[in-house]
Amino acid sequence: MAKLISLTLLGMGLALFRNHQSSYQTRLNALREVQPIELPNCNLVKGIETGSEDLEILPNGLAFISSGLKYPGIKSFNPNSPGKILLMDLNEEDPTVLELGITGSKFDLSSFNPHGISTFTDEDNAMYLLVVNHPDAKSTVELFKFQEEEKSLLHLKTIRHKLLPKYVYIAELLAHKIHVYEKHANWTLTPLKSLDFNTLVDNISVDPETGDLWVGCHPNGMKIFFYDSENPPASEVLRIQNILTEEPKVTQVYAENGTVLQGSTVASVYKGKLLIGTVFHKALYCEL
């Protein structure tokens, strides 16, 4: 009887493991491979070797890039160095990156671990960066003022609050969805719709001129979390047009199997050029 019970429990355990494994593989898109879609005149950005997880391009062509993210379960090519914010001027013929110095007596540079970034320009044309930071496995938002002449950031404030995430477009990575919410004057949100994708959608950039969404994606999430240099994670960029209509148009603009660019997380456009960032690898600058 004891042997029978043991075999029964073993069978139940194996069945649960198979179901869990199947769900896990589905959420990570573990079996998907991409067919390459090339763009003209693509060049890896010199000076970016440890990630370009998020980026934002201003109307004047300045691009701010977060680099050096360390996150549990994610590959890092330089785990012992703090993260940094980089600057690119896309008006240059062959733009390069510049690391922005950070000043501020109360800011701990040694634990700087930047993730997402956003920019804000006030009525006096002063420009501010809001950077999601993960110091010591916590989550904060750091407020910086961009000092253009000095090419540096002045740290003004650290924001901590349990209700930090609120969004209009929300990418649900492992569910392969983008949710659309309507924002009201009192800052409440009403869900409008959800879109399903055959990829793990990551950061979303909104084109200020057209309203199109540009999304950095992971075709196969298993390769992100279980890094293998012989079989690296692929990259994919989607463009979503007319997302608020009944029939949004989704276009696969770029796809690559990891030989050039590994683990794309974000994409943004400026004057016919596309800048693609990654969670831990390089960055790619292309003509559309």
PDB file of all heavy atoms in Angstrom, residues 270-286:
ATOM      1  N   TYR A 270      13.002  59.330 -34.354  1.00  0.00           N
ATOM      2  CA  TYR A 270      13.267  60.769 -34.515  1.00  0.00           C
ATOM      3  C   TYR A 270      13.693  61.020 -35.947  1.00  0.00           C
ATOM      4  O   TYR A 270      14.710  60.501 -36.401  1.00  0.00           O
ATOM      5  CB  TYR A 270      14.356  61.222 -33.541  1.00  0.00           C
ATOM      6  CG  TYR A 270      14.728  62.681 -33.687  1.00  0.00           C
ATOM      7  CD1 TYR A 270      13.878  63.684 -33.242  1.00  0.00           C
ATOM      8  CD2 TYR A 270      15.939  63.063 -34.279  1.00  0.00           C
ATOM      9  CE1 TYR A 270      14.217  65.026 -33.366  1.00  0.00           C
ATOM     10  CE2 TYR A 270      16.292  64.411 -34.412  1.00  0.00           C
ATOM     11  CZ  TYR A 270      15.422  65.384 -33.954  1.00  0.00           C
ATOM     12  OH  TYR A 270      15.753  66.705 -34.083  1.00  0.00           O
ATOM     13  N   LYS A 271      12.891  61.795 -36.680  1.00  0.00           N
ATOM     14  CA  LYS A 271      13.210  62.212 -38.049  1.00  0.00           C
ATOM     15  C   LYS A 271      13.670  61.055 -38.936  1.00  0.00           C
ATOM     16  O   LYS A 271      14.729  61.103 -39.559  1.00  0.00           O
ATOM     17  CB  LYS A 271      14.274  63.312 -38.026  1.00  0.00           C
ATOM     18  CG  LYS A 271      13.772  64.623 -37.447  1.00  0.00           C
ATOM     19  CD  LYS A 271      14.802  65.737 -37.569  1.00  0.00           C
ATOM     20  CE  LYS A 271      14.256  67.061 -37.064  1.00  0.00           C
ATOM     21  NZ  LYS A 271      15.239  68.155 -37.160  1.00  0.00           N
ATOM     22  N   GLY A 272      12.877  59.998 -38.968  1.00  0.00           N
ATOM     23  CA  GLY A 272      13.171  58.879 -39.850  1.00  0.00           C
ATOM     24  C   GLY A 272      14.240  57.938 -39.363  1.00  0.00           C
ATOM     25  O   GLY A 272      14.665  57.035 -40.092  1.00  0.00           O
ATOM     26  N   LYS A 273      14.695  58.120 -38.133  1.00  0.00           N
ATOM     27  CA  LYS A 273      15.697  57.232 -37.545  1.00  0.00           C
ATOM     28  C   LYS A 273      15.074  56.467 -36.376  1.00  0.00           C
ATOM     29  O   LYS A 273      14.177  56.973 -35.698  1.00  0.00           O
ATOM     30  CB  LYS A 273      16.912  58.019 -37.057  1.00  0.00           C
ATOM     31  CG  LYS A 273      17.619  58.830 -38.135  1.00  0.00           C
ATOM     32  CD  LYS A 273      18.349  57.927 -39.110  1.00  0.00           C
ATOM     33  CE  LYS A 273      19.122  58.735 -40.152  1.00  0.00           C
ATOM     34  NZ  LYS A 273      20.256  59.460 -39.571  1.00  0.00           N
ATOM     35  N   LEU A 274      15.561  55.263 -36.148  1.00  0.00           N
ATOM     36  CA  LEU A 274      15.056  54.400 -35.076  1.00  0.00           C
ATOM     37  C   LEU A 274      16.207  54.037 -34.152  1.00  0.00           C
ATOM     38  O   LEU A 274      17.239  53.535 -34.596  1.00  0.00           O
ATOM     39  CB  LEU A 274      14.440  53.123 -35.673  1.00  0.00           C
ATOM     40  CG  LEU A 274      13.937  52.068 -34.687  1.00  0.00           C
ATOM     41  CD1 LEU A 274      12.737  52.590 -33.908  1.00  0.00           C
ATOM     42  CD2 LEU A 274      13.566  50.774 -35.423  1.00  0.00           C
ATOM     43  N   LEU A 275      16.017  54.278 -32.864  1.00  0.00           N
ATOM     44  CA  LEU A 275      17.001  53.935 -31.849  1.00  0.00           C
ATOM     45  C   LEU A 275      16.430  52.809 -30.998  1.00  0.00           C
ATOM     46  O   LEU A 275      15.351  52.942 -30.423  1.00  0.00           O
ATOM     47  CB  LEU A 275      17.326  55.148 -30.988  1.00  0.00           C
ATOM     48  CG  LEU A 275      18.414  55.003 -29.927  1.00  0.00           C
ATOM     49  CD1 LEU A 275      19.741  54.586 -30.557  1.00  0.00           C
ATOM     50  CD2 LEU A 275      18.591  56.307 -29.145  1.00  0.00           C
ATOM     51  N   ILE A 276      17.171  51.679 -30.934  1.00  0.00           N
ATOM     52  CA  ILE A 276      16.705  50.483 -30.232  1.00  0.00           C
ATOM     53  C   ILE A 276      17.637  50.196 -29.060  1.00  0.00           C
ATOM     54  O   ILE A 276      18.858  50.123 -29.230  1.00  0.00           O
ATOM     55  CB  ILE A 276      16.671  49.257 -31.171  1.00  0.00           C
ATOM     56  CG1 ILE A 276      15.874  49.559 -32.443  1.00  0.00           C
ATOM     57  CG2 ILE A 276      16.073  48.044 -30.454  1.00  0.00           C
ATOM     58  CD1 ILE A 276      15.985  48.473 -33.501  1.00  0.00           C
ATOM     59  N   GLY A 277      17.067  50.030 -27.869  1.00  0.00           N
ATOM     60  CA  GLY A 277      17.844  49.732 -26.676  1.00  0.00           C
ATOM     61  C   GLY A 277      17.635  48.302 -26.211  1.00  0.00           C
ATOM     62  O   GLY A 277      16.703  47.611 -26.638  1.00  0.00           O
ATOM     63  N   THR A 278      18.520  47.846 -25.325  1.00  0.00           N
ATOM     64  CA  THR A 278      18.490  46.465 -24.828  1.00  0.00           C
ATOM     65  C   THR A 278      18.628  46.444 -23.316  1.00  0.00           C
ATOM     66  O   THR A 278      19.106  47.400 -22.706  1.00  0.00           O
ATOM     67  CB  THR A 278      19.634  45.628 -25.426  1.00  0.00           C
ATOM     68  OG1 THR A 278      20.886  46.149 -24.941  1.00  0.00           O
ATOM     69  CG2 THR A 278      19.631  45.670 -26.950  1.00  0.00           C
ATOM     70  N   VAL A 279      18.254  45.304 -22.724  1.00  0.00           N
ATOM     71  CA  VAL A 279      18.300  45.198 -21.274  1.00  0.00           C
ATOM     72  C   VAL A 279      19.731  45.138 -20.740  1.00  0.00           C
ATOM     73  O   VAL A 279      20.050  45.728 -19.702  1.00  0.00           O
ATOM     74  CB  VAL A 279      17.462  43.996 -20.790  1.00  0.00           C
ATOM     75  CG1 VAL A 279      18.016  42.689 -21.292  1.00  0.00           C
ATOM     76  CG2 VAL A 279      17.365  43.979 -19.277  1.00  0.00           C
ATOM     77  N   PHE A 280      20.642  44.468 -21.456  1.00  0.00           N
ATOM     78  CA  PHE A 280      22.010  44.337 -20.947  1.00  0.00           C
ATOM     79  C   PHE A 280      23.072  44.387 -22.033  1.00  0.00           C
ATOM     80  O   PHE A 280      24.252  44.290 -21.747  1.00  0.00           O
ATOM     81  CB  PHE A 280      22.184  43.028 -20.160  1.00  0.00           C
ATOM     82  CG  PHE A 280      21.753  41.799 -20.918  1.00  0.00           C
ATOM     83  CD1 PHE A 280      22.497  41.302 -21.969  1.00  0.00           C
ATOM     84  CD2 PHE A 280      20.599  41.136 -20.554  1.00  0.00           C
ATOM     85  CE1 PHE A 280      22.106  40.172 -22.663  1.00  0.00           C
ATOM     86  CE2 PHE A 280      20.189  39.994 -21.235  1.00  0.00           C
ATOM     87  CZ  PHE A 280      20.945  39.516 -22.288  1.00  0.00           C
ATOM     88  N   HIS A 281      22.675  44.551 -23.295  1.00  0.00           N
ATOM     89  CA  HIS A 281      23.612  44.424 -24.407  1.00  0.00           C
ATOM     90  C   HIS A 281      23.924  45.796 -24.989  1.00  0.00           C
ATOM     91  O   HIS A 281      24.236  46.732 -24.270  1.00  0.00           O
ATOM     92  CB  HIS A 281      23.017  43.463 -25.454  1.00  0.00           C
ATOM     93  CG  HIS A 281      23.978  42.965 -26.474  1.00  0.00           C
ATOM     94  ND1 HIS A 281      23.711  42.982 -27.824  1.00  0.00           N
ATOM     95  CD2 HIS A 281      25.210  42.430 -26.351  1.00  0.00           C
ATOM     96  CE1 HIS A 281      24.727  42.469 -28.492  1.00  0.00           C
ATOM     97  NE2 HIS A 281      25.654  42.130 -27.610  1.00  0.00           N
ATOM     98  N   LYS A 282      23.854  45.943 -26.280  1.00  0.00           N
ATOM     99  CA  LYS A 282      24.241  47.162 -26.988  1.00  0.00           C
ATOM    100  C   LYS A 282      23.010  47.993 -27.341  1.00  0.00           C
ATOM    101  O   LYS A 282      21.913  47.742 -26.834  1.00  0.00           O
ATOM    102  CB  LYS A 282      25.036  46.790 -28.231  1.00  0.00           C
ATOM    103  CG  LYS A 282      26.303  45.970 -27.943  1.00  0.00           C
ATOM    104  CD  LYS A 282      26.982  45.530 -29.227  1.00  0.00           C
ATOM    105  CE  LYS A 282      28.184  44.634 -28.954  1.00  0.00           C
ATOM    106  NZ  LYS A 282      29.307  45.370 -28.347  1.00  0.00           N
ATOM    107  N   ALA A 283      23.174  48.960 -28.221  1.00  0.00           N
ATOM    108  CA  ALA A 283      22.074  49.732 -28.782  1.00  0.00           C
ATOM    109  C   ALA A 283      22.283  49.849 -30.279  1.00  0.00           C
ATOM    110  O   ALA A 283      23.422  49.859 -30.750  1.00  0.00           O
ATOM    111  CB  ALA A 283      21.979  51.115 -28.130  1.00  0.00           C
ATOM    112  N   LEU A 284      21.193  49.944 -31.034  1.00  0.00           N
ATOM    113  CA  LEU A 284      21.267  49.972 -32.498  1.00  0.00           C
ATOM    114  C   LEU A 284      20.556  51.225 -33.008  1.00  0.00           C
ATOM    115  O   LEU A 284      19.472  51.576 -32.538  1.00  0.00           O
ATOM    116  CB  LEU A 284      20.604  48.722 -33.073  1.00  0.00           C
ATOM    117  CG  LEU A 284      20.881  48.392 -34.545  1.00  0.00           C
ATOM    118  CD1 LEU A 284      22.352  48.013 -34.746  1.00  0.00           C
ATOM    119  CD2 LEU A 284      19.983  47.240 -35.016  1.00  0.00           C
ATOM    120  N   TYR A 285      21.183  51.886 -33.993  1.00  0.00           N
ATOM    121  CA  TYR A 285      20.650  53.110 -34.569  1.00  0.00           C
ATOM    122  C   TYR A 285      20.451  52.879 -36.057  1.00  0.00           C
ATOM    123  O   TYR A 285      21.411  52.587 -36.783  1.00  0.00           O
ATOM    124  CB  TYR A 285      21.651  54.244 -34.312  1.00  0.00           C
ATOM    125  CG  TYR A 285      21.154  55.630 -34.644  1.00  0.00           C
ATOM    126  CD1 TYR A 285      19.900  56.077 -34.259  1.00  0.00           C
ATOM    127  CD2 TYR A 285      21.991  56.524 -35.333  1.00  0.00           C
ATOM    128  CE1 TYR A 285      19.470  57.373 -34.545  1.00  0.00           C
ATOM    129  CE2 TYR A 285      21.564  57.817 -35.627  1.00  0.00           C
ATOM    130  CZ  TYR A 285      20.311  58.235 -35.228  1.00  0.00           C
ATOM    131  OH  TYR A 285      19.896  59.509 -35.511  1.00  0.00           O
ATOM    132  N   CYS A 286      19.197  52.998 -36.527  1.00  0.00           N
ATOM    133  CA  CYS A 286      18.858  52.599 -37.898  1.00  0.00           C
ATOM    134  C   CYS A 286      18.090  53.699 -38.621  1.00  0.00           C
ATOM    135  O   CYS A 286      17.417  54.523 -38.007  1.00  0.00           O
ATOM    136  CB  CYS A 286      17.970  51.361 -37.886  1.00  0.00           C
ATOM    137  SG  CYS A 286      18.673  49.899 -37.104  1.00  0.00           S
TER     138      CYS A 286
END
